[in-house]
Amino acid sequence: MTSAPETTHGALLWSHATLGLRAVKDPSGSVRLTTAGQVWDSLLPLVEVNLTGHGRTWSGERSIDTTVGSRLVLRDHETVADGEWRHTTIGLTDPQTRLTAHVTLSTVPGAGFVRSRVRLVNEGDEPLQVEGVSCLTLGGITDQESGLDGLTLHWADNDWLAECRWRQAAFRDQVVPLNRAAHGHEGRGCFERYSQGSWSTGRQLPVAGLTAGDGGAWFWQIESSAGWRYEAGERENAAYLALFGPDDAHHQWRQTLAPGQEFTTVPAVLVHSTSGGLDAAFGELTAYRRRIRRAHPDLQALPVIYNDYMNTLMGDPTTEKLLPLIKAAGAAGAEVFVIDAGWYDDDAQGWWDAVGAWEPAGRRFPGGIHEVLDAIRQHGMTPGLWLEPEVVGVRSPLAHSLPPEAFFRRGGVRLTEHGRHHLDLRHPAARAHLDQVVDRIVGEWGVGYLKLDYNINAGPGTENDAESAGAGLLGHHRAHLDWLASLLDRHPGLVLENCGSGGLRMDYAQLAVAQLQSTSDQQDPLRYPPIAAAAATAAAPEQAAVWAYPQPEFGLDAIAFTMTTALLGRVHLSGFLDRMSEEQSALVRSGVDVYKHIRHDIAGALPYWPLGLPGWEDDWLAHGLHTADTTYLAVWRREPTAGSADAGANLTISGNAEADSRALRVPHLGNGRLIPEVLYPGAADAMATWEASEGLLTVTLPRPDTALLIRLGATPAP
């Protein structure tokens, strides 16, 4: 990617050679982020700030062209080192309001990313109401040969059971040419995506990008559980992008800064690759994600997890049902056993709207829950439990014993959503309650794994006094992240899984603290592969929890299919393993054994997609991981129209010979000598052959609704 010829030169404040980015001040004091050869007017101010009473200089759907942003001028800048990181803070000030903006650009020399966040301080004498502030802006983006016509937008739709569905469109299909010269103004619209409510990924992922025909890519990620928005549009014959946390127009977020008060945005990151397209961009993003998250042994050990919920007990655990599953899971090679929803259910009217105390149900565990937890340990596994800590059911005693201020409220009325109230973790009573729950479960019971679910969308947030709902939501989520970190401080070995009805809160505010991310609640084994194959776009592979739920009524093809789906992520085993034949059990065990053999590579590998990012109805899908010397590839072949949830027992129908094979290009392997090895299933009649002259891997799956995992070890070409 490049830009139009440069016509304005300014003072250099910051640069990053790998990214090709610079922060430059013009003679007026305005600071903008640039790449080489850009027209100054195609760029954006380093920060856009929308203050009530000041607004924008050009009205429309865009959040750029703010009056305050155009007035901000350089005050100071400094760079500090923190280990391998370099943090450059550029201070800007608005002479009229005396609002200052401190933009911190964080990088690692040689890495292809920059992380940005902005701290606003009111140094004036009057209160200022902030309606929106950018986290990061960049203008002047074009394709080297085709201008804007060569750019492609990429974004991901997200929904319950249908996560990580990537879309792409020509930039010009979304931002049409308007002949600026004839009108004297830029357009008023843009391409935008944003969250709504407290499910940060209930609509789309906070990850997107632009690619060019030369293979270059700019991709971005916004790290917020409490509102985010990005926009891309045209400015002076070049593309721009602007990344935001919550704002007033989309999230009911407003923040009043009294004199001396400050506010800091959520972080956003921009990654850049000059070649390699999507694969290279997601490789940079994956490496960045590994740098920002909290260190934890789980991220290297990658234990195999069995969870009793999916297509198995479905929220109805009892001692009688669990003990045979525990024995079978241990025999299959699981290292963690999670008792999912329902273990606390002792209410004749059901548990959904009665949760909150998190005490074990006596009628479910006649000998006490410790009988089951001890059985898990006796079979060599770490016990885990499901919790939904941020909610209290409307029939729970906690709904009356906790003070009203401990719950989300709007207009003075306590929020109720789907039979639950929502805790505000800024309140000491709410936090004390949850600390007591977790310290009992982990400290006294010896539970080492918590699956933390989040099954309601609480809307725009909570209001306290004159606080906006969006500001309340952001405050709660920051308190929630602080609470999660405090649990790990007190219990360093504890593993936290982040779940939001599957993948509806799949963001790196959460994943910088939690070790795992639930990718979906999808129960259909034929529908899961496009989610699993794209999961590495949203989470590092070793954090992406993927269900494998083989069943005794499945044929061997079906068992291999669902097991393969999880082998390049974090295996979340389920299913009635205790009812399987020895042949079926052996196939499950062999899948777990393969995973244990390759998981040391998963923890540091980078993702790639030989067939491109998967489509929801694609019949062939492929997703791989590669290290410096080893490449893994999972390949699925489905019927052209995926089957229903009960299709698993019938995955052995005859295929169409003409559709049995698919050639896959694996560019990072070049044309070296390779001997593909089918790792799983071991006795498959599938084939994989490498054509060195073409650099192609041809995979043959004789029947539809089958899958396999391949390993390729490269040797140099002669």
Side-chain angles (χ1 to χ4, degrees):
M1 289 185 176
T2 186
S3 301
E6 183 172 282
T7 60
T8 302
H9 299 273
L12 180 65
L13 306 177
W14 170 88
S15 65
H16 192 290
T18 305
L19 280 170
L21 283 180
R22 301 176 298 158
V24 176
K25 176 184 75 72
D26 79 344
S28 73
S30 177
V31 180
R32 304 187 183 192
L33 202 59
T34 80
T35 60
Q38 294 177 335
V39 174
W40 185 261
D41 288 343
S42 72
L43 308 178
L44 299 181
L46 191 60
V47 184
E48 296 279 16
V49 184
N50 190 359
L51 294 183
T52 304
H54 295 262
R56 292 166 291 177
T57 61
W58 179 240
S59 191
E61 300 301 313
R62 304 178 178 201
S63 295
I64 63 168
D65 296 317
T66 60
T67 302
V68 173
S70 69
R71 293 197 305 246
L72 289 171
V73 293
L74 179 68
R75 187 167 77 173
D76 53 38
H77 71 286
E78 67 170 353
T79 298
V80 297
D82 179 14
E84 65 175 357
W85 287 80
R86 300 294 182 270
H87 306 286
T88 296
T89 299
I90 300 173
L92 307 166
T93 188
D94 173 20
Q96 181 172 327
T97 63
R98 293 171 58 194
L99 177 74
T100 64
H102 304 270
V103 184
T104 299
L105 303 174
S106 299
T107 63
V108 172
F113 73 85
V114 58
R115 191 188 203 212
S116 177
R117 63 194 313 171
V118 178
R119 181 171 65 94
L120 298 180
V121 182
N122 182 2
E123 296 186 352
D125 301 322
E126 300 293 333
L128 300 173
Q129 183 167 266
V130 186
E131 297 182 5
V133 53
S134 64
C135 310
L136 189 152
T137 63
L138 178 66
I141 303 169
T142 64
D143 179 76
Q144 186 171 6
E145 297 182 357
S146 306
L148 294 181
D149 293 339
L151 296 180
T152 301
L153 279 162
H154 304 264
W155 71 97
D157 293 338
N158 215 57
D159 197 359
W160 185 56
L161 312 180
E163 291 84 351
C164 302
R165 299 183 337 273
W166 280 86
R167 304 282 187 258
Q168 71 176 50
F171 181 83
R172 277 306 192 198
D173 286 347
Q174 302 294 318
V175 182
V176 299
L178 298 175
N179 190 357
R180 185 197 187 287
H183 301 91
H185 289 287
E186 299 287 0
R188 299 186 189 273
C190 60
F191 175 83
E192 66 173 356
R193 293 292 184 268
Y194 54 90
S195 66
Q196 186 176 54
S198 61
W199 275 332
S200 60
T201 56
R203 297 159 55 100
Q204 283 96 22
L205 295 182
V207 182
L210 279 167
T211 57
D214 61 4
W218 292 101
F219 261 67
W220 55 89
Q221 169 180 287
I222 306 171
E223 295 157 20
S224 173
S225 298
W228 56 265
R229 177 181 175 271
Y230 63 78
E231 67 175 75
E234 182 177 1
R235 185 181 181 88
E236 294 291 345
N237 301 312
Y240 76 86
L241 65 95
L243 313 181
F244 299 84
D247 65 14
D248 184 37
H250 302 87
H251 310 99
Q252 298 184 32
W253 178 90
R254 296 176 305 283
Q255 186 79 40
T256 298
L257 299 181
Q261 288 186 329
E262 63 181 59
F263 168 77
T264 301
T265 69
V266 301
V269 65
L270 182 66
V271 302
H272 179 47
S273 58
T274 57
S275 62
L278 292 172
D279 289 352
F282 280 116
E284 291 283 1
L285 194 54
T286 300
Y288 161 79
R289 289 165 171 168
R290 288 170 173 153
R291 291 182 189 273
I292 64 166
R293 67 193 181 191
R294 181 185 177 115
H296 195 287
D298 175 83
L299 297 170
Q300 297 300 319
L302 311 192
V304 175
I305 298 152
Y306 182 95
N307 182 300
D308 69 26
Y309 185 83
M310 191 59 70
N311 293 347
T312 310
L313 300 188
M314 300 297 290
D316 188 27
T318 65
T319 299
E320 182 181 10
K321 294 176 180 178
L322 284 167
L323 291 180
L325 287 176
I326 291 167
K327 179 179 179 181
E335 295 153 302
V336 176
F337 190 102
V338 179
I339 305 171
D340 207 281
W343 59 271
Y344 40 79
D345 177 20
D346 228 355
D347 193 298
Q349 300 181 55
W351 58 263
W352 181 264
D353 58 358
V355 296
W358 308 113
E359 295 283 357
R363 66 182 179 85
R364 292 184 174 275
F365 307 106
I369 196 170
H370 290 285
E371 178 185 1
V372 177
L373 299 178
D374 288 344
I376 293 171
R377 283 185 280 265
Q378 289 164 7
H379 284 87
M381 296 178 287
T382 298
L385 286 177
W386 179 96
L387 285 177
E388 195 170 355
E390 293 166 81
V391 301
V392 169
V394 296
R395 294 191 300 108
S396 170
L398 273 297
H400 307 288
S401 61
L402 290 173
E405 298 80 10
F407 296 93
F408 274 29
R409 296 179 299 167
R410 291 198 288 273
V413 178
R414 185 185 298 190
L415 173 72
T416 301
E417 176 72 7
H418 198 179
R420 274 98 177 271
H421 302 308
H422 197 295
L423 290 173
D424 187 340
L425 284 183
R426 295 174 298 178
H427 195 280
R431 183 155 174 165
H433 158 62
L434 291 183
D435 281 343
Q436 183 273 329
V437 168
V438 173
D439 289 346
R440 167 169 45 87
I441 290 173
V442 177
E444 297 177 20
W445 298 2
V447 169
Y449 184 108
L450 292 178
K451 177 179 177 178
L452 303 179
D453 212 339
Y454 188 67
N455 286 306
I456 64 170
N457 188 331
T462 180
E463 300 166 340
N464 286 308
D465 299 323
E467 179 183 57
S468 68
L473 182 62
L474 180 59
H476 160 75
H477 276 305
R478 285 177 164 169
H480 176 235
L481 295 174
D482 182 73
W483 175 69
L484 294 178
S486 75
L487 299 184
L488 296 172
D489 289 341
R490 294 201 305 279
H491 308 288
L494 177 64
V495 177
L496 301 178
E497 177 187 342
N498 180 52
C499 181
S501 271
L504 301 187
R505 197 164 67 173
M506 187 159 40
D507 62 70
Y508 261 86
Q510 299 287 321
L511 285 173
V513 182
Q515 287 67 62
L516 291 94
Q517 171 64 52
S518 173
T519 56
S520 188
D521 282 349
Q522 176 59 248
Q523 293 178 248
D524 185 341
L526 299 178
R527 286 294 189 190
Y528 214 131
I531 301 171
T537 65
E542 66 275 17
Q543 291 183 275
V546 179
W547 291 102
Y549 29 58
Q551 300 293 350
E553 66 270 20
F554 280 15
L556 297 182
D557 279 354
I559 291 175
F561 189 94
T562 188
M563 291 296 297
T564 299
T565 298
L567 292 181
L568 291 183
R570 290 296 298 274
V571 175
H572 262 48
L573 196 61
S574 197
F576 289 104
L577 306 184
D578 56 313
R579 304 176 188 176
M580 287 186 166
S581 69
E582 178 51 41
E583 185 179 27
Q584 292 173 316
S585 297
L587 187 57
V588 173
R589 284 196 303 272
S590 68
V592 172
D593 289 344
V594 165
Y595 181 77
K596 290 181 177 180
H597 185 70
I598 70 172
R599 62 186 171 186
H600 67 284
D601 282 335
I602 293 174
L606 300 178
Y608 70 99
W609 292 269
L611 295 175
L613 295 176
W616 188 246
E617 300 290 354
D618 287 355
D619 49 346
W620 285 83
L621 304 102
H623 162 50
L625 299 174
H626 68 90
T627 65
D629 53 11
T630 304
T631 292
Y632 300 99
L633 183 63
V635 182
W636 299 262
R637 178 189 170 196
R638 304 186 296 175
E639 284 281 15
T641 300
S644 61
D646 61 354
N650 304 305
L651 300 187
T652 56
I653 60 177
S654 299
N656 178 352
E658 296 181 358
D660 286 355
S661 298
R662 181 60 57 96
L664 310 175
R665 190 170 298 279
V666 191
H668 67 268
L669 290 177
N671 60 351
R673 290 196 303 260
L674 292 173
I675 302 176
E677 176 187 4
V678 176
L679 294 181
Y680 185 79
D685 51 2
M687 295 176 56
T689 58
W690 176 250
E691 302 170 29
S693 61
E694 301 293 330
L696 291 176
L697 177 72
T698 299
V699 176
T700 301
L701 288 168
R703 296 177 301 283
D705 300 333
T706 54
L708 79 167
L709 178 68
I710 303 165
R711 177 170 57 199
L712 303 99
T715 58

